[in-house]
Amino acid sequence: MVDTTPLTRAVEHFADRLRAAPQSRLQRGAAAEALELARELSRRAQRLEAPDAEPREMPDAGMFAAADQITVAGNDLAVVIPADADVDEAVRVVEEAQKRAGV
């Protein structure tokens, strides 16, 4: 069984930082970066669940929903992720997105 705790912790940390960020920070790109991350995590999960299907794109639900979107996408990926190496890669992607978001 794959331990996905590092992934869910990284996602929750980023989401918490977004929720605590001022609106001005979200507007300056943090929310857009979070949406891109949510879309990437969602694509990864969908490819694992249905490799032959075209992944659906997560919609833009607005800057105040970005934290929830990365939480949902990260948890969806954690349920289907197949190997520890994939967890490590996903954590790296989350951490890099958080750095780019500046939160």
Side-chain angles (χ1 to χ4, degrees):
M1 182 160 193
V2 177
D3 180 12
T4 60
T5 304
L7 174 57
T8 55
R9 281 188 184 152
V11 167
E12 287 298 327
H13 182 262
F14 188 8
D16 287 345
R17 299 293 299 172
L18 285 169
R19 288 182 185 107
Q23 182 174 347
S24 60
R25 172 79 42 100
L26 296 174
Q27 290 172 323
R28 284 193 310 259
E33 187 64 48
L35 176 60
E36 274 309 305
L37 173 64
R39 287 175 171 168
E40 175 60 25
L41 296 176
S42 177
R43 278 190 295 271
R44 288 175 184 226
Q46 290 178 65
R47 284 187 192 118
L48 289 168
E49 288 181 309
D52 297 330
E54 183 68 28
R56 295 169 311 279
E57 185 172 280
M58 182 173 283
D60 183 347
M63 69 179 157
F64 297 113
D68 293 333
Q69 288 182 292
I70 64 169
T71 300
V72 168
N75 286 326
D76 284 351
L77 180 57
V79 170
V80 296
I81 205 159
D84 290 333
D86 297 316
V87 172
D88 295 341
E89 169 65 13
V91 169
R92 184 188 62 74
V93 168
V94 172
E95 290 172 347
E96 287 176 359
Q98 183 174 350
K99 285 179 189 172
R100 287 191 302 272
V103 294

